[in-house]
Amino acid sequence: ILDSSFLDLYAGTGAVGLEAVSRGAGKVLLVESNPKTALCLKQNLELIMTAAKKEGTEIAEENLIFYPYLAEKAISILAEKKEGFDIVFADPPYDFSEQKIMELIAQISEGGILRPGGEIILQHLSGLEKNLLFKEGISALALTVETRRYGYTSLSFFYPPSSP
């Protein structure tokens, strides 16, 4: 994560993106569209910025950014700007259909959002990785996937063909 660029889609309160900051990510963009959750996220960002300033490790505002958009809109904006990321973390609502999840992964992997050698990390309900539509979609995108299960939740790591 050190000096990487990190995109946190469906950021919620920002816990994952802020953890990336604490582990040395160079740039973190957090995307959250829910107004109530976004308010909490903005407060957390302010607290982190203030704490970093007090510790003498100030975080430049251009390196910790918040977008109050739907993930799909944020991805479109980033694709237009040709802004790529080393790590894209997505934690969409668990009631997303397999089709919607595949569209999200495709938009990230084909939209220039993922830098060469980067990875997409998808948090989802365990069992999705066994779904036929999911498997076929990943195969069509030519992505390598590795899934780790943690009870009812799993993390799937997607790598483009040129990645290790």
Side-chain angles (χ1 to χ4, degrees):
I1 287 184
L2 191 62
D3 294 326
S4 67
S5 56
F6 190 97
L7 175 60
D8 185 357
L9 298 170
Y10 309 96
T13 60
V16 172
L18 295 174
E19 182 65 25
V21 169
S22 78
R23 292 178 182 255
K27 177 181 181 179
V28 175
L29 173 62
L30 301 112
V31 178
E32 177 56 55
S33 65
N34 181 294
K36 288 182 181 178
T37 308
L39 179 61
C40 181
L41 172 56
K42 284 192 264 185
Q43 290 170 343
N44 287 341
L45 291 176
E46 289 172 17
L47 288 169
I48 291 295
M49 297 291 267
T50 302
K53 194 173 187 176
K54 283 182 183 177
E55 293 173 6
T57 57
E58 201 165 340
I59 302 167
E61 285 187 30
E62 63 270 11
N63 293 334
L64 187 56
I65 304 160
F66 166 65
Y67 274 13
Y69 306 125
L70 291 171
E72 296 79 5
K73 178 175 173 124
I75 292 169
S76 294
I77 291 169
L78 295 167
E80 252 180 57
K81 294 166 92 176
K82 298 192 183 321
E83 191 167 349
F85 294 85
D86 300 306
I87 302 168
V88 178
F89 180 85
D91 181 14
Y94 282 2
D95 64 355
F96 266 29
S97 69
E98 291 84 358
Q99 181 65 38
K100 194 161 182 179
I101 289 172
M102 288 314 309
E103 288 169 5
L104 174 70
I105 298 298
Q107 193 179 14
I108 294 166
S109 66
E110 296 175 343
I113 303 303
L114 192 62
R115 288 184 178 160
E119 68 180 318
I120 302 168
I121 305 168
L122 175 72
Q123 183 173 330
H124 57 85
L125 277 175
S126 294
L128 174 68
E129 66 279 4
K130 296 175 184 173
N131 179 284
L132 184 59
L133 178 64
F134 182 78
K135 286 180 176 181
E136 288 174 353
I138 297 307
S139 180
L141 292 171
L143 295 171
T144 300
V145 63
E146 175 188 326
T147 300
R148 297 179 190 155
R149 186 179 182 140
Y150 304 95
Y152 293 108
T153 298
S154 288
L155 293 175
S156 289
F157 300 81
F158 300 90
Y159 307 97
S162 61
S163 296

